[in-house]
Structures are given as C-alpha cells and as structure tokens.
Amino acid sequence: MKIRLLHTILLLLSGFFANAQDISLYQQFNGRYDFTFVGNTLNPAENNPTVTCTINTSSSENLNLNPDDEIIAAYLYWAGSGTGDFDIKLNGTDITAERNFPLLALNTDGQTRAYFSAFADVTDLVQATGNGTYTVSELDLTAVVSEPLYCGIKTNFGGWAIIVFYYNPNLPLNQLNLYDGLQYVPTAVNITLPSLNVIDNVGAKIGFLAWEGDSSLAVNETLSINGNPLSNALNPVNNAFNGTNSVTGSNTLYNMDLDIYDIQNNINIGDETADITLLSGQDFVMINAIVTKLNSQLPDATITINNATTSCNAGFFEINYTVYNTNSTDVLPAGTPITFYADGQQAGFAVTVEELPIGGSESGTTIISVPAGTPQDFELLAVVDDQGNGQGGIVTETNEENNFFVLEVSQILSPPLPVVIPNVIGCDDGSGLAVFDFSGYEESLKTDPEDTVTFYNSEADANVPQNPITNTSAFQSTSNPQQIFVRVENEEGCVSIGSFLLVTDDCLYPDGTIVINNLEQSCDSRTITISYTVNNFNSQDILPAGTPIALYNNGIVIATTATLADMPIGGSESGTVTVTIPGSSLNLNIIIVVDDTGNGQGIETETDETNNTATLSGTLFVSPVITEVLPNLTECETDNGTNVGVFDFSAYIALLQNNPTDIVTFHISQNDANSGDNTITDPASYISDGNNPQTIYVRLENENGCFDTTSFTLTAIDCLFPDATITIADIILQCDSRIITVEYTVNNFNGFDILPGGLPISIYVNGILLDYTETLLDIAIGGSESGTISLVIPDDIALNFDLLFVADDMGSGTGIVVETDETNNTDASLVSLPLSPALQQPESFVSCNIGFGLGVFDFSAYEETLKTQPDDTVYFYATEADANQDSNRILNTSAYTSTANPQQIFVRVDNQTCYSLTSFMLSTKKCPPTTYNYVTPNGDGYNDSFFVEGLRNIFLDFKMSIYNRWGSLVWTGNHSTADWDGVASVDKVGPEGNTVPVGTYYFVLELNDAEYPEPIVGWVYVTK
C-alpha cells in the first residue's frame, strides 16, 4: 500500500474573487469501462457578441451506445445563472438535486453574481431507457437571464449534461476517475487531479464539462495538462471552450462545452497526479466536471473482520477475516501482508495464501495478542497490504485508501477486588467467638451492578462454587480469627476470589474525649498557652497513662503531649500546653486530639473513635499600627499674647480607627498614653495649656487590649490680619487699539487689621506678567481704594486673552502682607480687543445717462458681499460725514438715482463694536436711444407722441426727421421742439388739422455726437 497522496487545488484569480467548490475526486471505476457525454444547451444562441436575453426551459439530445455496451453509472449535471433551480424533469421524471455547487463571482464590472450547478444520480433511469432521446424540462431560468445583471454582462446561460459510464467486455482494463466541483476563470485556474495510477498511457483521454464559454472570445484562452496545451479538430489551442460537443461534433452547443481530448502523449507511466491549467484573458468559463480514462491493470485489496472472539483474561483474540479484490483490474498476489493493530499497537500479522482473481476473495483465521496496557474497550484495526513496519505495503493498487477495517472490541476481564479487604471485628459472646455482619460486602465489592458476590468457608468451595454462606448478616464464627473467602462473578462469567478475616475482640474499651478550657496569649507574641481536660466518661475500661495528645493549627502538628496517669471510668485529667505558632499567619484554627500520636493514628481502641477532638478558632493578638501622620494643629490665640487657643482634634478618632471596636484616646503625657490614664474628655473643644506648642499623645487600642501611640502638637498664633481682595470694575477698549484702560478696586472687607499703603498689585496676560502698580493709602477694615491703569497689550498676544489682577503680589506670586485669607486675592476677566471690519475696495458702477448726466443704479448686492461677518451691518451714504455719523442713510439701494456725475457713495460696515468706511463711484455714459414705434394722437394720454427714450437732455444737438412712405419729409424737430404728435410740419398731409393719415412713416435721428456719428433710422406706425 502506497502512502496516501494529499492533493491541493490552487485557484488563482486576477481582479476576481469567488465562493466556489474546488474540483475534487467524486467516483472511480476500475475495469473494462469507458465514458461518454450526452447533453444540450438551453441558450437559443450564443450570448456574445450579440446580447440574447431569452432562454429555453427544455432541450433534448440522443444517447447512442453500441449494443454490447452496458451502462454502469449515469450522473446528471445542470447549471445556469442565478442561485439555482434544483427541481427539474428528465424524460418526464421528477429530478431533485442531490448535490449542488454554488458560486459567487465578483466580475470585472465590480458586481457580484451568483451561478450554480446541480447533480443527481440518474443511473436507474438511464439503464432502463438505454439509447434514445433524453429531454430535460422545467429548468426555468427565464426571469434570471433576462435581468440586466446577467444579460448586461453576457453571462446568462443554462444547460444540462449526463456523464455515462459503461462496460464492454472488449475494452482494455481501464481506470476511470470522475472529478467535480465548480471553478472558473479569468484569469487562471490550476487543478491537481489525484488518485491516478498510470500503467500504460496508450488510449488515455480526458473529458471536460464546462459552462459559459464563447466561441467569439479567444483572448489568451488555453487548456493544458502537465504544461502541454490541448487541442483537437473542434477546439483550437487558443479557444478551448467555444460551445462544442466532441461526441456529436456540434459547434452550436451555445455557452457550454462537452470536450474530450486524447492525452496519451501528455502523461507518463507511473504518474499519480495530473496538473490541469486553464488560462483566459477575457472569456468567463466555469469547469464543472472532469473525467479521465487511463489504461490500468492493478488489484484493489480490501479487508473485513468477520468475527473476533476471546475468553476471560485470555489476553488474545481469535480473528476471522476476509480479503477481497473486487474493484480491481488485476490479480492480488499471494503473500500480500496483513497487519492487525490493537489500540494503535501492532498485535498480529498474516498474509494471503492464494492469488486472488479479479472479484475474488479469501478468508482466514489468526490469533492476535493484546499488548499490555491496552484498555478493556479498544479499536481493532485490520490493514491489508501493510507490512507493519510503517513503510506501507508491497502491492500497487487502484485505490490505496480502502485497505483497512475497524472493529470496536472489548476484552473479557475478571472483576477487580481490593488488594486487602478489611477484616471484620466482632465482640466476644463469652465463648471466645462472635456473631459477624459482613453483608455490606455484597454491594461494596461490586464494580458493576450486575456482578454477583458470594461468600465461602474455603477457597475450594469458592472456586467450584459450592456451599455458599447464606447468613452474612448474622454469621456465627467457628474460630478466631476465621478466614472468609469471597467470590465476585460478572455477567460474562469471569471470576475473582479474595478473602478477609473475622476477628473476635472483648469490646471493653475506654472512650477518650477532650475539651479546651482556655487560650492565653500576649500582644505581638506567637506563643500561646492552651488549658484542656481529657475525659473518660462513656467507657468500659480505664484510659491508660501516656495516652497521646496532638495539637494542630491549620492542619499542621504544632505540639504533642500525653496524659499523666491512668484515668478511671468516668474520670478526667486537666493539663496545659504552651506552644509557639510557626509561620506568619495570624489565623488560629486549633484542633486538639486525644489518642493521636501526631500522624492521625492512635494507640488505644475505644468504644467511640469519632469523638476524640476539640476545636478553637481565633487570631493571634497583634497591636494596631498607627500609620497616619497626624498633622499638627494651629489656631488663633483667644487673646493677644496668651499663647492659648481652642482646638478640635476629634476627627482624629475616625481617622485612626481600623475597626469600629477600636478605641482612640488623647493624653497630655506619654506615660498616660501608655497606661490609658487621664484621658482628655473634650477633644472637640480642647483649650491648650499655654505651652506653645503643646504636645498631645494619642493611644489607639483594639478589642484585644493591644495598643500603639503617636503624637501631634498644638500651636496658638496671632490671627489679626487684613484681607486684601481686588475686583476689576470696568475695562475700556478702543477699536483697532492694543491700549486698554482698566478700572479696579482693592478691598479690606473681611480683615481684622488695616491693609497698608503700597500694597503691590501685579497684572498678568495669559499668565505672563504685564504690569505692576500699588495702592496709595492705608485701607481701613471694611474699606476700599479704587484705581485706574492703562495697559499696552503686546503684539504677540492674541486678540482674545485672559486678564488677571492679583493683590499682594510682587509679580513673582508672593506678597508682602500676611492675610486672614491668602486664596481670594485675584480677579480675572476674558478680554477681546475690538477690530474694525477689514474691507476690500468695492468696484464702481457705470449706468446709462437718463438726462443731465444722471443715472439709476443698483448696488444693493453690496449689503451682503461687503460683510466680513454674518452679523455685520452695511449702510450707504452720500457724504463721508454722514457715514461717520450714521445719518441720512441711502435707503433705495436697488434703484438709486445719482445726483452728480460722477458721484462718490460712502459705505459703512459695522460689526456692532467697530466700523470701517469705504467708497465707490457712480458715473453715467451716453447709451443708444430707444424708440417706441407706435403713435396714437387721439389725446388719451397714451402714445400721443413719438417718444424716444434716452434722447432729450442727453443728446442736446440731435435732429429728428419724419418721412412718409414716398420719401416726402413730413416733420423735423430737435432738442428745443416737442416730440412729434403725428402732425405734419413740412408738407401738408391729411384732410384736417394737419394730422397725417394712418400708416407707416420713417424717421432719421441724427444725434450729432462724436460717440454716435451714424444716424439712427427706423419706422413708426401712426394710428387712431
């Protein structure tokens, strides 16, 4: 047997990711076998290059085998776009997918799409049908392939194929392997096909079932085996998957391929694997199944264990086994080794006797020895073609992975008995013998509830068995001691025999008990003294002198002693023992045991062996340790020069207590603190004794009377001081100036003395000293002094800064006056220096002259565009003085009529604190006049005359001439004449009032201006 070959499938993608199932071996056939394909597409046409977004739900194809071909297996695969249709029909029979191969592909357009393939074993149906037409129907992918998601990228497809394996007695011995899964390109797929045994490469071939290949896409598309490109008449070397069927010769198997290649020149004898490589630069191709056919003449050894028998405590098994050579193409030679393993250890060896023909078998029997240490239940492994030396076998086979058989077996063992079964004690009934109860052994000696326990007077009776003891709960002994034999038999019939003694005793015993009377100890000592009493109350005999006593603490022996005298029935003896507790633990868990030599064992047999102990728990006494450093106390004198103050140090009580039971007392001497005498009774209002400072001694005592001491001092001081405070009353700021004026007040409100003149005041900006000043006069208790100072803020200080005034500060953080409160000397304010808005020069405006050089202007947009902040206000003025005073604002900024040409307009932008001024110019120009082409001289006030806008008071030298349609001059006018009202002034035209007839007339307007040298010519229509 060869070592198993592990295969890997390497999927290389460029710009793709897939959730697919790797191609792997599914089935193997060995014998005179071959294969063929039958199948068809559902696509009505190739989906590339012309987009086809329809698909059929059924298609058919014919199977044509030779008359002597016998179908042994037929597997149906179907596939398509989408997540899958797994219920279809084959020749009208319902088919449900038994396996499926989902695939998620991230295509080159950046979208993830689902594709599928499904599988069903249709061997029975194809065997029953044989040659003929096969139709797959109700494979409905219509809705999926019509979606733009698939149709838009031309990966919409569907189809089916049956892979048929058949037997023919005229075929050579072949090995056929079927591999399946679902892998795809672009860009590359590498597939390693395992489990090949190439004996002869003549006639070797390989078949592919693939989906979605396009004949019109052949960009770097190559199919290779072992590095050799494959091709045939239907499949060019650069377009392997192109919608062809090697069985039928069709090239219209749209978007699927059933391709078979001869590979006898591409593999070598002895190969165990083959490497398939598919490259594609563009075409999206999915490989679903691969079939290989190789000439193979190999046996295939398998083995079964038919039976394994053993007996009680035998240590071996008799194995009946059978070796087979069924899935083979050659005989299995005689002498093929067989190795047996018990729980992984080699336990036996055999070989086949005869040469096994193809399909033959051979049975045999062997004995295996169970290795020492093997558990009762173990795994028995039989491996054929195994030499037992870790080197495998000696025969090359079609399948190297089916050579073993496993059987779970159990050794039949006698039930275990204790090495020593405890003797049973009975009390003497006066005859030197006793009545015994050992019935409890009937259950306690069982290892399994089904075990049977019986008792005998002799070992011979136990072995037979015969004459069992029946009265185990009241057995009368016949000798002292008397040996009783016990037989334990399990349900398999295996037996163990042991024994114990019946021992007769007089049963008159003392009964030692002990009590702890007292425990004495000292503070901070590990030595303790225990007073105890040993009793012999419930006894039937004296407790002898020298009965041992052991003391334990926390389970460790700390001392031993013994009784001094014999103790009569009902008597007692008291004693003491002094011992030093070892270790560092403070916990005491004392156990004192009478009749204990210090190892848990006694020397006396007693009426009650369970009442020999007494216990005591507690802790070693430890003095409390004062770790707190008590602050010394300072208070003001009750009167100047007395050195006496009133002190409150009652808070030190809770501060020093480690436990609620601790006692804290105060004393005026160390001796009193040590003895606990003369306690200060009023620690919350203690009046010092005039010694300045005075020492107070403290005693901390715990519940055990252990104590520690410490001390602190009391100092009375003069407390009549001023108290300087300062407030910033006002800060005067100027726009665009770094000079500020601050008004402040220094107070002595809560003082007990005058605040002297010359008190230093330091001024800080952002924590940096800026300036310094002083008070001028002494400030009385409750008094104040105000001052003003101008400060220049340095340029490197931001516009927003913190301003801090500190009274009694020399500029270094220290003062010159002792005060009642040294923490209230400051006042701070956040200051923002105001800036005028920073304006850009607005552009000037030019408008048409409406007369006398004036014009109408819209500069309302500047109300927003000139703002520097959203809250700025923007106003317009005719003079700079008005702008500075914010008077006579221009209100009609969207239609302002100028008053001069040019005219300067002033702008004021105000940020609510400061403002800035700028200006722009308004000027006019002469624009071409605009004529209105209708005159209705009927006196209704509308169009009574020929009006020309932008003419009068602008072009002072103009001349207007009106002509009729025959070119006759009708009227002339200029700046000094009124507009033409339809009355002829040159030729008399019309029947009355010189009004011209209705009609079209023509004008010539000469502006006589250097900017407009050419006359303006047009028409005017006169009507009533």
Side-chain angles (χ1 to χ4, degrees):
M1 180 181 70
K2 297 174 184 166
I3 297 174
R4 180 181 298 180
L5 175 66
L6 299 178
H7 68 277
T8 59
I9 298 175
L10 177 61
L11 177 61
L12 300 177
L13 299 173
S14 176
F16 275 73
F17 113 98
N19 179 9
Q21 295 192 25
D22 293 344
I23 301 291
S24 60
L25 180 66
Y26 174 66
Q27 191 59 272
Q28 185 180 82
F29 303 93
N30 292 281
R32 301 186 188 278
Y33 301 133
D34 206 338
F35 74 95
T36 189
F37 294 136
V38 57
N40 208 343
T41 181
L42 297 180
N43 283 32
E46 184 174 305
N47 60 20
N48 191 67
T50 303
V51 177
T52 302
C53 296
T54 59
I55 195 168
N56 299 318
T57 60
S58 68
S59 64
S60 303
E61 189 53 79
N62 294 324
L63 174 63
N64 296 298
L65 295 176
N66 295 322
D68 53 352
D69 290 340
E70 177 187 345
I71 297 170
I72 62 167
Y75 303 126
L76 172 63
Y77 294 84
W78 67 96
S81 305
T83 55
D85 182 355
F86 301 113
D87 295 291
I88 64 172
K89 290 183 183 292
L90 176 61
N91 287 357
T93 300
D94 290 332
I95 302 294
T96 297
E98 300 168 8
R99 302 160 61 220
N100 66 85
F101 309 96
L103 182 142
L104 288 175
L106 180 60
N107 298 126
T108 51
D109 64 351
Q111 295 201 57
T112 299
R113 293 172 176 83
Y115 305 92
F116 80 98
S117 171
F119 167 95
D121 186 342
V122 293
T123 301
D124 292 343
L125 190 153
V126 177
Q127 285 176 334
T129 304
N131 285 341
T133 301
Y134 288 84
T135 300
V136 166
S137 59
E138 297 190 15
L139 176 48
D140 190 357
L141 305 176
T142 306
V144 176
V145 301
S146 63
E147 293 179 3
L149 180 66
Y150 294 95
C151 189
I153 200 173
K154 304 173 185 178
T155 61
N156 50 310
F157 78 95
W160 62 276
I162 303 175
I163 303 178
V164 179
F165 296 90
Y166 59 88
Y167 167 81
N168 190 303
N170 299 315
L171 289 171
L173 293 170
N174 295 318
Q175 180 189 78
L176 277 69
N177 285 347
L178 170 62
Y179 307 85
D180 63 14
L182 198 59
Q183 293 182 242
Y184 75 99
V185 290
T187 304
V189 170
N190 292 334
I191 303 172
T192 298
L193 302 181
S195 302
L196 301 180
N197 289 295
V198 182
I199 303 301
D200 184 352
N201 58 4
V202 175
K205 64 181 182 179
I206 190 168
F208 292 89
L209 167 59
W211 308 105
E212 226 304 297
D214 297 282
S215 62
S216 59
L217 293 178
V219 180
N220 299 325
E221 186 174 310
T222 305
L223 177 64
S224 302
I225 182 169
N226 293 336
N228 302 309
L230 296 177
S231 64
N232 56 30
L234 290 175
N235 304 96
V237 71
N238 65 344
N239 196 2
F241 297 100
N242 55 359
T244 56
N245 186 334
S246 297
V247 177
T248 65
S250 171
N251 62 359
T252 59
L253 197 65
Y254 303 126
N255 300 112
M256 66 176 286
D257 280 87
L258 294 172
D259 298 326
I260 301 176
Y261 299 89
D262 293 327
I263 58 171
Q264 65 183 37
N265 296 324
N266 303 117
I267 59 175
N268 299 310
I269 295 174
D271 284 352
E272 295 180 342
T273 63
D275 293 322
I276 305 297
T277 300
L278 172 60
L279 301 176
S280 175
Q282 183 177 0
D283 199 3
F284 179 56
V285 178
M286 288 169 281
I287 296 178
N288 198 170
I290 302 174
V291 184
T292 60
K293 187 191 82 169
L294 303 170
N295 184 264
S296 174
Q297 297 183 24
L298 295 173
D300 183 31
T302 60
I303 190 170
T304 60
I305 298 175
N306 305 318
N307 194 23
T309 59
T310 188
S311 58
C312 289
N313 308 310
F316 64 85
F317 281 81
E318 182 178 291
I319 308 299
N320 178 263
Y321 62 89
T322 300
V323 177
Y324 300 89
N325 186 28
T326 50
N327 186 29
S328 61
T329 55
D330 201 359
V331 299
L332 182 68
T336 300
I338 306 167
T339 302
F340 297 89
Y341 298 88
D343 197 37
Q345 299 183 69
Q346 186 174 343
F349 185 80
V351 296
T352 58
V353 178
E354 304 290 342
E355 182 179 83
L356 298 187
I358 297 172
S361 63
E362 175 185 294
S363 295
T365 301
T366 189
I367 301 296
I368 69 154
S369 297
V370 179
T374 302
Q376 182 173 358
D377 299 323
F378 65 91
E379 184 178 88
L380 177 61
L381 173 67
V383 187
V384 63
D385 193 23
D386 180 7
Q387 301 177 81
N389 57 5
Q391 301 301 313
I394 61 175
V395 181
T396 301
E397 304 173 61
T398 61
N399 187 349
E400 300 285 359
E401 298 182 355
N402 62 349
N403 297 61
F404 62 91
F405 186 87
V406 177
L407 182 67
E408 298 291 337
V409 298
S410 295
Q411 299 182 70
I412 303 176
L413 302 176
S414 296
L417 279 174
V419 175
V420 176
I421 301 175
N423 297 328
V424 179
I425 307 297
C427 293
D428 189 346
D429 60 5
S431 65
L433 302 175
V435 176
F436 294 86
D437 180 2
F438 46 86
S439 60
Y441 283 159
E442 294 177 4
E443 292 298 325
S444 64
L445 293 179
K446 290 181 179 180
T447 57
D448 186 275
E450 302 303 322
D451 290 348
T452 301
V453 180
T454 52
F455 303 90
Y456 303 88
N457 284 303
S458 69
E459 188 173 9
D461 285 349
N463 283 321
V464 173
Q466 63 183 8
N467 303 318
I469 296 173
T470 58
N471 56 336
T472 58
S473 62
F475 177 76
Q476 176 65 55
S477 64
T478 58
S479 63
N480 186 27
Q482 180 176 350
Q483 188 173 15
I484 300 296
F485 295 90
V486 58
R487 174 190 174 104
V488 182
E489 183 173 351
N490 60 24
E491 59 183 346
E492 287 85 10
C494 296
V495 174
S496 293
I497 294 178
S499 68
F500 58 90
L501 294 178
L502 303 180
V503 179
T504 302
D505 191 73
D506 66 4
C507 295
L508 299 177
Y509 309 121
D511 183 28
T513 61
I514 193 168
V515 294
I516 297 175
N517 303 319
N518 191 31
L519 169 67
E520 296 179 1
Q521 59 171 314
S522 301
C523 295
D524 305 317
S525 172
R526 301 192 67 84
T527 299
I528 62 173
T529 298
I530 295 177
S531 301
Y532 62 88
T533 299
V534 177
N535 306 298
N536 187 24
F537 291 154
N538 299 314
S539 62
Q540 298 170 333
D541 202 351
I542 64 170
L543 183 67
T547 299
I549 301 170
L551 281 82
Y552 299 84
N553 183 51
N554 294 323
I556 300 172
V557 176
I558 57 174
T560 58
T561 184
T563 58
L564 300 177
D566 289 343
M567 198 175 304
I569 297 171
S572 299
E573 177 182 296
S574 295
T576 60
V577 60
T578 300
V579 61
T580 299
I581 304 299
S584 59
S585 174
L586 300 178
N587 294 324
L588 293 178
N589 292 292
I590 302 295
I591 300 177
I592 186 167
V593 187
V594 65
D595 193 24
D596 182 353
T597 58
N599 58 2
Q601 302 295 319
I603 61 174
E604 299 295 330
T605 301
E606 303 178 65
T607 57
D608 186 349
E609 299 285 357
T610 64
N611 61 350
N612 297 60
T613 64
T615 61
L616 177 68
S617 296
T619 59
L620 293 174
F621 291 171
V622 177
S623 296
V625 176
I626 299 177
T627 58
E628 293 287 343
V629 176
L630 299 181
N632 299 322
L633 300 181
T634 300
E635 291 292 345
C636 295
E637 291 177 313
T638 56
D639 202 356
N640 282 337
T642 62
N643 289 333
V644 174
V646 179
F647 296 85
D648 180 2
F649 40 85
S650 60
Y652 289 167
I653 297 175
L655 180 65
L656 292 178
Q657 282 180 321
N658 299 313
N659 296 291
T661 56
D662 289 348
I663 299 172
V664 178
T665 54
F666 303 93
H667 308 267
I668 62 173
S669 71
Q670 182 66 57
N671 289 336
D672 286 348
N674 290 336
S675 64
D677 297 330
N678 301 317
T679 299
I680 294 174
T681 59
D682 54 350
S685 57
Y686 176 74
I687 301 174
S688 60
D689 61 5
N691 291 312
N692 206 18
Q694 179 185 354
T695 300
I696 300 296
Y697 298 90
V698 187
R699 174 189 173 104
L700 171 64
E701 181 179 332
N702 63 22
E703 61 183 349
N704 297 319
C706 302
F707 69 93
D708 193 13
T709 64
T710 187
S711 66
F712 59 92
T713 62
L714 307 178
T715 302
I717 61 172
D718 179 8
C719 294
L720 300 178
F721 306 122
D723 184 29
T725 62
I726 192 167
T727 56
I728 298 174
D730 193 16
I731 301 174
I732 302 168
L733 308 173
Q734 300 179 17
C735 292
D736 306 315
S737 173
R738 299 189 75 84
I739 299 175
I740 66 173
T741 300
V742 182
E743 297 176 353
Y744 62 90
T745 300
V746 178
N747 309 297
N748 186 21
F749 290 155
N750 297 316
F752 295 95
D753 203 350
I754 62 170
L755 186 63
L759 182 76
I761 303 170
S762 292
I763 302 147
Y764 298 86
V765 171
N766 290 343
I768 300 172
L769 181 65
L770 176 67
D771 209 340
Y772 173 89
T773 186
E774 295 178 354
T775 57
L776 300 176
L777 303 172
D778 292 342
I779 300 175
I781 297 171
S784 299
E785 176 182 295
S786 296
T788 301
I789 188 170
S790 293
L791 304 172
V792 178
I793 306 303
D795 292 339
D796 60 352
I797 299 297
L799 296 175
N800 299 317
F801 58 87
D802 292 317
L803 181 65
L804 178 68
F805 273 56
V806 185
D808 192 25
D809 182 0
M810 297 290 294
S812 59
T814 59
I816 62 174
V817 177
V818 177
E819 304 176 61
T820 57
D821 187 349
E822 299 285 358
T823 65
N824 62 350
N825 297 60
T826 64
D827 194 19
S829 179
L830 178 63
V831 180
S832 296
L833 295 178
L835 294 179
S836 299
L839 302 181
Q840 297 181 352
Q841 176 61 44
E843 295 183 0
S844 296
F845 290 86
V846 177
S847 182
C848 291
N849 185 350
I850 62 173
F852 305 108
L854 306 181
V856 178
F857 297 86
D858 180 3
F859 44 84
S860 59
Y862 281 164
E863 293 176 5
E864 291 298 327
T865 59
L866 291 181
K867 288 182 177 180
T868 61
Q869 299 292 332
D871 294 334
D872 289 353
T873 56
V874 181
Y875 298 111
F876 304 90
Y877 308 86
T879 67
E880 186 174 9
D882 284 347
N884 280 318
Q885 297 171 11
D886 189 21
S887 61
N888 301 318
R889 296 175 182 170
I890 295 174
L891 303 179
N892 56 335
T893 57
S894 61
Y896 176 73
T897 301
S898 61
T899 58
N901 188 30
Q903 180 180 357
Q904 187 174 12
I905 299 298
F906 294 91
V907 186
R908 175 186 175 122
V909 181
D910 197 324
N911 61 15
Q912 316 307 319
T913 302
C914 302
Y915 70 90
S916 297
L917 298 184
T918 186
S919 67
F920 56 90
M921 299 301 295
L922 304 179
S923 60
T924 62
K925 66 178 181 178
K926 295 177 181 179
C927 297
T930 302
T931 60
Y932 295 86
N933 301 93
Y934 290 89
V935 177
T936 57
N938 54 14
D940 64 356
Y942 299 100
N943 299 321
D944 287 334
S945 60
F946 181 33
F947 175 66
V948 180
E949 185 177 16
L951 179 63
R952 292 187 180 276
N953 301 319
I954 300 170
F955 298 96
L956 302 180
D957 296 325
F958 77 87
K959 177 183 178 182
M960 171 76 80
S961 300
I962 307 294
Y963 298 86
N964 64 16
R965 59 183 175 174
W966 294 284
S968 299
L969 181 65
V970 176
W971 181 86
T972 61
N974 54 36
H975 193 273
S976 62
T977 61
D979 294 339
W980 182 49
D981 57 0
V983 176
S985 63
V986 178
D987 278 349
K988 303 299 181 182
V989 183
E992 56 180 285
N994 295 330
T995 300
V996 298
V998 173
T1000 301
Y1001 294 83
Y1002 302 89
F1003 66 85
V1004 176
L1005 176 57
E1006 299 171 89
L1007 297 178
N1008 296 318
D1009 190 275
E1011 295 182 24
Y1012 299 96
E1014 298 297 325
I1016 299 172
V1017 178
W1019 59 271
V1020 59
Y1021 184 77
V1022 179
T1023 183
K1024 297 300 185 179

